[in-house]
Amino acid sequence: QQFVPPAFPGTSPVIPPNVTEFQYREILRLHNENLVKWRNYTNAQQAMKQLVIDSIEPVYLRAIRDRHVGFANVSIIQIYEYLFNTYGKLSPQELMQNQTAIHKAWDPTTPFEVLIDQIEDCQEIAATAGQPFTEAQILTAAYTNVFNTGLYFEDCKAWNKRPVVKKTWANFKAHFQQAQAELNQVQATGHGPQNFAGAVTIDQLQHIVDSINTPPPAPGSDPGYLALAATNADLAAQLLKAQQDIAELQQKMTAPRNTGRGPRRPRELSGSYCWSHGFFVAADHNSANCHKPKPGHKTEATKENRMGGSEAGMSRE
């Protein structure tokens, strides 16, 4: 449903003649209520407009700015429409790039939400350009991406068995988020798909290679034998390389997932103090230079005079 901006109800209510006391009070109440709605809407519009103006280089808004009153007579909707119509249109080449981007291979060692963002970002771009993807196209792109990882065959089979009416984007996200969570639990126990090659170790394979490369007691200088030995050596080297690649894949699959966060600082006392974060802070972190102060933060607080601040990490001796 389209939003209808509240109209200005006037500075004072219009009171018809011969109204009762109850009617008079109801008219006053409705007028005050409408006046509050209009003020809230107007203030929100002004705040949003100023936020957009402050965030964009002035040259990109110069065409709709009045030399004398600035943007006073321009609404936030008009600003958005101007920016979109002037700078927001995509070229055919950009639309093609977006169609390619939706099929970009997903790295299964990252959270499934990475693939969700990829799909939904591309969908938003296409919709903005007036050429949205259908849900069937979205599901096809996402399903193909998951299937190609080689890790979710059983989950893909379960998805395929669902009725058509149940194959929605929302259900797809929930289904494979759960699938990844279960796969991570299995891999954590050392019994996941990444261990399918664990029956033969690198050392065992190297022993096989050495055995192949060891000549029999009386090979002579027969050319056929020499060619066979060379072939065996080449095959052995290729086999060893394959096992090393598998080992590298094992290491990658068991590595911690990349969540986009940096390493956490160790919880140790540095001798410094912050009103918001207590004693577990870096040596150069204190109340005066805290970058993430909490409500009521006091910059003058020290470990000797905490001023009611955090006691996290404080010795209880």
Side-chain angles (χ1 to χ4, degrees):
Q1 184 178 0
Q2 185 176 5
F3 173 73
V4 179
F8 177 56
T11 55
S12 58
V14 178
I15 308 296
N18 303 322
V19 297
T20 64
E21 179 68 17
F22 173 79
Q23 291 173 327
Y24 175 78
R25 292 182 180 278
E26 183 65 10
I27 291 172
L28 288 180
R29 185 189 68 79
L30 291 176
H31 178 268
N32 289 334
E33 182 179 299
N34 292 332
L35 188 61
V36 169
K37 290 181 180 179
W38 177 82
R39 286 174 177 169
N40 289 341
Y41 169 77
T42 302
N43 291 338
Q45 288 282 304
Q46 291 298 326
M48 291 174 62
K49 183 167 72 172
Q50 194 59 50
L51 180 63
V52 172
I53 293 171
D54 292 342
S55 302
I56 297 176
E57 293 290 339
V59 66
Y60 297 109
L61 295 172
R62 183 64 187 86
I64 58 174
R65 179 183 180 276
D66 185 88
R67 184 177 296 274
H68 303 290
V69 297
F71 299 97
N73 297 323
V74 183
S75 70
I76 182 63
I77 299 298
Q78 291 172 320
I79 292 178
Y80 279 140
E81 288 177 345
Y82 169 77
L83 290 172
F84 176 77
N85 292 331
T86 307
Y87 305 107
K89 295 182 179 179
L90 298 179
S91 67
Q93 293 80 5
E94 289 171 323
L95 288 174
M96 289 300 297
Q97 291 173 1
N98 187 58
Q99 292 180 15
T100 302
I102 198 173
H103 298 286
K104 178 184 175 182
W106 167 55
D107 179 359
T109 63
T110 63
F112 185 70
E113 288 77 5
V114 172
L115 178 59
I116 293 176
D117 282 344
Q118 173 182 313
I119 298 292
E120 294 184 347
D121 286 348
C122 291
Q123 166 66 343
E124 184 175 345
I125 292 173
T128 303
Q131 300 182 26
F133 295 115
T134 65
E135 186 166 61
Q137 289 175 311
I138 292 174
L139 290 172
T140 298
Y143 177 89
T144 303
N145 221 321
V146 172
F147 183 86
N148 287 344
T149 65
L151 300 174
Y152 297 96
F153 291 143
E154 293 301 320
D155 302 290
C156 287
K157 288 168 61 177
W159 173 259
N160 289 333
K161 292 178 181 178
R162 289 194 175 203
V164 175
V165 294
K166 296 292 186 179
K167 291 181 179 179
T168 65
W169 176 233
N171 289 341
F172 184 92
K173 291 189 289 185
H175 180 82
F176 284 100
Q177 280 178 311
Q178 179 65 27
Q180 188 182 56
E182 293 175 355
L183 177 63
N184 289 338
Q185 291 177 350
V186 172
Q187 290 176 345
T189 65
H191 300 291
Q194 76 276 15
N195 290 298
F196 69 94
V200 181
T201 66
I202 297 284
D203 291 339
Q204 290 172 328
L205 189 58
Q206 183 62 57
H207 176 72
I208 296 172
V209 171
D210 293 339
S211 299
I212 294 175
N213 290 333
T214 301
S221 57
D222 179 63
Y225 166 76
L226 296 178
L228 179 61
T231 301
N232 286 347
D234 183 60
L235 291 174
Q238 292 182 34
L239 187 60
L240 179 59
K241 177 62 168 59
Q243 183 67 13
Q244 291 172 337
D245 290 342
I246 292 171
E248 183 179 347
L249 178 61
Q250 286 180 291
Q251 183 178 7
K252 183 178 181 181
M253 292 299 300
T254 57
R257 290 171 56 189
N258 178 16
T259 62
R261 304 187 182 96
R264 298 186 63 181
R265 293 184 178 180
R267 297 180 64 83
E268 58 184 22
L269 300 178
S270 64
S272 190
Y273 176 77
C274 172
W275 189 93
S276 295
H277 303 97
F279 295 86
F280 283 131
V281 293
D284 57 350
H285 180 168
N286 54 52
S287 300
N289 63 15
C290 178
H291 295 297
K292 295 183 179 179
K294 295 181 179 179
H297 182 86
K298 295 179 174 59
T299 58
E300 303 86 1
T302 64
K303 61 182 179 181
E304 290 80 15
N305 181 14
R306 297 188 300 279
M307 304 177 70
S310 172
E311 296 183 353
M314 185 177 71
S315 175
R316 301 296 180 181
E317 295 180 358

